[in-house]
Amino acid sequence: MSGPHDFAFLHGDGTHAGRDMRVRFVRSGVRATTARREQAFSRDGGTTWPTD
């Protein structure tokens, strides 16, 4: 499968342990039985994105 559904990018703002943070989720390489997923959290307003 390729085309418009092989990539998704979602992001938002939230809090954790009383601290503001930005959150992003990336899904790529979506196929019938596999996909790559990455999540990252930024505690500095989006300057750095350590992945989980």
Side-chain angles (χ1 to χ4, degrees), residues 14-21 43:
T15 59
H16 177 70
R19 295 182 62 188
D20 291 335
M21 65 172 41
R43 292 177 182 90

Side-chain angles (χ1 to χ4, degrees), residues 19-32:
R19 295 182 62 188
D20 291 335
M21 65 172 41
R22 294 188 135 179
V23 183
R24 76 175 182 200
F25 299 95
V26 178
R27 290 185 69 187
S28 61
V30 178
R31 304 290 182 262

Side-chain angles (χ1 to χ4, degrees), residues 4 10-11 14 18 21-22 24 37-38 41 43-44 52:
L10 305 143
H11 61 90
M21 65 172 41
R22 294 188 135 179
R24 76 175 182 200
R37 186 186 79 133
E38 176 183 295
F41 302 92
R43 292 177 182 90
D44 58 11
D52 186 25

